[in-house]
């Protein structure tokens, strides 16, 4: 069973700070990595994906991937109270010619005004 | 382009009944995946359909089944409902699902409560 681990939190950060969300995965063959944001009572919405080692930036969000350490993170700069949500890490891996996705259980982020 | 739609949004059933949930993917998307989300277990993969064929299946009992139609719309059915089936059921669509960066987009979900 492919595993994706996230600290459940809550992670509390003050408004304007950088929030750092982490995710580790068990399968070295994992190929792509996705971050979703889920507000309470709502469905997950895609923030960004990354598949190459290094950083990928999109506005206030930066995804960082280190395949050697099997580690992917999401940085949120200038955190806002509206960023308070649960962040899900998803890992895509190949099995029998098909792509499968495993989700972590999510990290709850609280941005304190 | 319209997003993923799911019906109904809320459902209340009693133990032993069965239920059918529906999902319409984004236009042009051919892959539909179903997930069950509960507070304790997070997002659990149920199954994936592509071109009317079940391509992947998670570790759920046979009471959970699904199908996909030629227009890519999908339904999932749960028979003999149990209290533990109370959850948010999410449908996600993607273009083909075989691409490394092919992305899943989620519908609003169906909140099922079993009494």
């Amino acid at each position: 069973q492919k595993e994706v681990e996230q600290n459940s939190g809550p992670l509390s950060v003050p408004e304007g700070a950088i929030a750092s969300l982490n995710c580790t995965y068990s399968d070295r063959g994992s190929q792509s990595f996705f971050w979703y944001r889920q507000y309470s009572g709502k469905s997950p919405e895609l923030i960004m994906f990354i598949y190459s080692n290094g950083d990928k930036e999109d506005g206030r969000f930066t995804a960082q991937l280190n395949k050697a350490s099997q580690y992917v993170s999401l940085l949120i700069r200038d955190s806002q109270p509206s960023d308070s949500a649960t962040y899900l890490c998803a890992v895509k891996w190949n099995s029998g010619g098909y792509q499968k996705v495993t989700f972590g259980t999510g990290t709850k982020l609280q941005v304190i005004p | 382009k319209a997003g993923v739609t799911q019906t109904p949004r809320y459902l209340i059933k009693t133990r032993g009944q069965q239920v059918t949930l529906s999902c319409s993917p984004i236009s042009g998307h051919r892959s539909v995946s179903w997930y069950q989300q509960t507070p304790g277990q997070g997002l659990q993969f149920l199954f994936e359909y592509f071109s009317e064929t079940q391509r992947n299946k998670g570790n759920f009992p046979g009471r959970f089944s699904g199908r996909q139609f030629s227009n890519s719309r999908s339904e999932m059915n749960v028979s003999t409902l149990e209290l533990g089936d109370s959850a948010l059921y999410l449908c996600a669509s993607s273009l083909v699902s075989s691409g490394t960066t092919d992305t899943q987009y989620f519908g609003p979900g169906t909140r099922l409560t079993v009494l």
Side-chain angles (χ1 to χ4, degrees), chain B residues 4-18:
Chain B
V4 180
T5 58
Q6 292 186 246
T7 57
R9 294 291 311 280
Y10 302 91
L11 210 46
I12 299 175
K13 293 285 187 179
T14 56
R15 280 180 296 175
Q17 288 187 306
Q18 75 165 17

Side-chain angles (χ1 to χ4, degrees), chain A residues 1 31-34 36 38 41-46 49 51 88 92 95 97-105, chain B residues 35 37 40-43 45 48 55-56 59 88 90 97-109 111:
Chain A
Q1 176 75 351
Q31 298 176 318
S32 50
F33 309 84
F34 301 78
Y36 288 83
Q38 186 173 25
K42 303 293 186 181
S43 63
E45 55 179 331
L46 179 72
F49 67 84
Y51 56 89
L88 302 171
K92 187 177 273 193
S95 175
Y98 300 118
Q99 295 284 318
K100 294 188 176 182
V101 179
T102 299
F103 282 81
T105 52
Chain B
Y35 294 87
Q37 188 174 37
Q41 298 294 319
L43 264 174
F45 173 72
E48 182 214 355
R55 197 158 64 173
N56 289 311
N59 297 323
L88 179 66
L90 291 160
S97 182
S98 58
T100 302
T101 58
D102 195 31
T103 302
Q104 289 187 329
Y105 296 92
F106 284 87
R111 174 76 62 184

Side-chain angles (χ1 to χ4, degrees), chain A residues 2-79:
Chain A
K2 312 300 182 184
E3 294 188 348
V4 178
E5 301 285 341
Q6 293 182 259
N7 188 320
S8 61
L11 172 66
S12 295
V13 300
E15 183 175 353
I18 295 176
S20 178
L21 304 161
N22 305 316
C23 172
T24 59
Y25 56 95
S26 63
D27 180 27
R28 279 197 176 276
S30 297
Q31 298 176 318
S32 50
F33 309 84
F34 301 78
W35 283 100
Y36 288 83
R37 175 176 62 196
Q38 186 173 25
Y39 292 111
S40 181
K42 303 293 186 181
S43 63
E45 55 179 331
L46 179 72
I47 298 173
M48 63 193 304
F49 67 84
I50 186 169
Y51 56 89
S52 297
N53 272 329
D55 295 359
K56 179 181 179 182
E57 187 174 317
D58 184 358
R60 295 187 296 114
F61 299 96
T62 299
Q64 299 177 316
L65 175 60
N66 184 327
K67 289 189 177 181
S69 300
Q70 295 173 237
Y71 177 95
V72 58
S73 64
L74 180 71
L75 301 178
I76 306 175
R77 288 183 301 281
D78 189 24
S79 295

